[in-house]
Amino acid sequence: CVGCVWFGGLKSYFLSIDKCPILIKDFFNNPLSYLILIFLQIQCELFFTCIKSVEAKDISIIEVKYYVESITKKIESRKNENFFTSKEQEVLNSLRDEAVLSENTYIKYRNTFYDTCLEYIKEWSNPTLSKFDGITWITLKNIDDDFNWVNIQATIELIKNIIPNKNLINEAHLFDEFTMIKESVKHNEHIQSLKTLSEKWTYIFKSMNNYSI
């Protein structure tokens, strides 16, 4: 964190000048500022990675849903496990020894931040992404847990609700294709190395020629 590394120097500079903006002066005079800066930097890295992923070229809405669910789980885990970095704990211990801030109070601040983030993500993603529940198997990111017939049946029901012709899908043939595809991709490291959903399924469909599907 560049801001964390330069914090001491920036603080000395701004507090030494005569016409330092009040907002900046109050920030550096606040004993909690450094700790908050460390905490926010950690969260920014998490959000930046997610935003970079969902704004990638040729990404599908299913992949967007996967990344949104992933960041939601990470935020929930950080909150539930009271995750602290060693640097956070070091600064917090110093503030606690100086009777500036208790650990419980800091945890409340953090939890408020996490709850606000989770609520925002929920509002941003609903109702659009919720329509695709159970379809993240298409990403092939978690083959053992997600790529199963139950989830594919849920996808079939979604398609039936969209397409009037309910007899369009031959489920027996689809199950045979599913079985062959799962066996093909389960231990295929090359598929997992492909970045986009379109690349993965293009590779799979070409490979299925070997099975005369």
Side-chain angles (χ1 to χ4, degrees):
C1 171
V2 175
C4 296
V5 173
W6 290 356
F7 184 86
L10 290 171
K11 179 178 180 179
S12 297
Y13 169 74
F14 280 109
L15 294 184
S16 67
I17 61 178
D18 295 332
K19 296 183 179 181
C20 176
I22 295 177
L23 185 63
I24 295 178
K25 186 176 182 180
D26 289 344
F27 172 79
F28 282 115
N29 278 327
N30 189 329
L32 306 183
S33 296
Y34 185 47
L35 179 60
I36 293 173
L37 184 63
I38 295 172
F39 173 73
L40 291 179
Q41 172 63 21
I42 298 167
Q43 313 318 314
C44 284
E45 291 176 357
L46 179 63
F47 279 93
F48 175 77
T49 300
C50 181
I51 292 171
K52 185 178 180 180
S53 297
V54 300
E55 291 183 347
K57 183 180 180 181
D58 297 328
I59 192 171
S60 70
I61 193 169
I62 305 301
E63 290 169 294
V64 171
K65 180 176 174 61
Y66 171 83
Y67 289 122
V68 170
E69 290 178 345
S70 178
I71 192 174
T72 298
K73 291 177 182 178
K74 290 176 181 178
I75 294 172
E76 289 174 341
S77 294
R78 291 185 179 193
K79 176 187 174 183
N80 295 336
E81 298 294 331
N82 282 332
F83 168 71
F84 284 84
T85 64
S86 56
K87 187 62 178 179
E88 265 186 294
Q89 193 66 61
E90 176 186 337
V91 177
L92 178 60
N93 289 341
S94 175
L95 293 173
R96 185 173 54 195
D97 293 342
E98 297 172 8
V100 174
L101 178 70
S102 69
E103 183 168 328
N104 287 337
T105 300
Y106 181 55
I107 289 176
K108 288 180 181 179
Y109 289 157
R110 288 157 49 96
N111 287 346
T112 298
F113 175 88
Y114 290 139
D115 289 339
T116 302
C117 290
L118 291 171
E119 184 62 29
Y120 175 81
I121 292 173
K122 181 179 179 181
E123 292 182 5
W124 180 85
S125 59
N126 288 323
T128 303
L129 295 184
S130 61
K131 296 178 182 178
F132 298 91
D133 289 342
I135 309 183
T136 51
W137 61 266
I138 296 176
T139 65
L140 300 176
K141 292 182 180 293
N142 193 350
I143 295 173
D144 289 333
D145 295 333
D146 292 340
F147 194 34
N148 55 60
W149 183 244
V150 172
N151 284 339
I152 291 178
Q153 284 181 309
T155 306
I156 294 172
E157 292 304 312
L158 176 64
I159 294 173
K160 286 181 177 180
N161 291 331
I162 298 174
I163 302 175
N165 187 351
K166 296 186 178 182
N167 297 319
L168 181 65
I169 300 173
N170 186 319
E171 295 186 32
H173 288 175
L174 180 60
F175 179 80
D176 292 338
E177 292 179 1
F178 154 75
T179 303
M180 299 302 293
I181 291 173
K182 185 164 186 176
E183 186 64 27
S184 173
V185 304
K186 196 169 185 180
H187 303 293
N188 192 319
E189 295 182 358
H190 177 68
I191 291 178
Q192 298 305 319
S193 69
L194 299 174
K195 295 183 179 180
T196 67
L197 186 149
S198 60
E199 289 175 337
K200 291 179 180 180
W201 283 99
T202 298
Y203 175 84
I204 289 172
F205 290 141
K206 288 181 178 179
S207 300
M208 286 303 97
N209 289 329
N210 297 330
Y211 297 100
S212 300
I213 295 180

